[in-house]
Amino acid sequence: MRKIAKVWLYIRRHKYLVTLGVFLLVIGVIDDNSLIHRFQNRREIHELNKEIERYRKQYEEDSKTLKEITSNPKELEKVAREKYLMKQENEDIYIFEEDLKK
């Protein structure tokens, strides 16, 4: 009983400090909109924006390649040889492991 009385006395004397501590605990950790969740969401948004930018660059490169392929038959042959390993009848193709990794 004595410990409870000491705790209650401490809370009564420092009620504003205790209230502030509980408030910071709720805002910082417990709440759904806590600071921890906000930092995690901000990091996820940053990663998603980087991914969007990467896909945008890939789209631009692919669009450029498609335009070149449809307008120039030599470019079509070049892409077919490089990406799809196609060859002419009198050619031999050698594939290196480094090329497959790309």
Side-chain angles (χ1 to χ4, degrees), residues 24-25 29 32 36-37 39-40 50 60 75 80 94 100 102:
L24 291 176
L25 180 69
V29 179
D32 288 336
I36 295 171
H37 287 106
F39 288 130
Q40 289 172 347
K50 285 179 12 182
E60 290 172 2
E75 280 295 320
Y94 297 99
L100 292 177
K102 290 180 183 178

Side-chain angles (χ1 to χ4, degrees), residues 24-60:
L24 291 176
L25 180 69
V26 168
I27 295 297
V29 179
I30 297 174
D31 192 29
D32 288 336
N33 293 323
S34 69
L35 295 175
I36 295 171
H37 287 106
R38 285 181 181 258
F39 288 130
Q40 289 172 347
N41 290 339
R42 185 173 290 154
R43 186 179 64 229
E44 185 177 355
I45 287 170
H46 180 68
E47 290 173 3
L48 291 173
N49 284 334
K50 285 179 12 182
E51 189 174 342
I52 287 170
E53 188 61 33
R54 184 178 48 127
Y55 283 130
R56 186 173 291 134
K57 287 179 183 177
Q58 182 180 354
Y59 172 76
E60 290 172 2

Side-chain angles (χ1 to χ4, degrees), residues 57-71:
K57 287 179 183 177
Q58 182 180 354
Y59 172 76
E60 290 172 2
E61 291 172 5
D62 291 343
S63 296
K64 181 181 174 185
T65 305
L66 180 62
K67 187 176 180 181
E68 290 174 357
I69 287 174
T70 55
S71 65

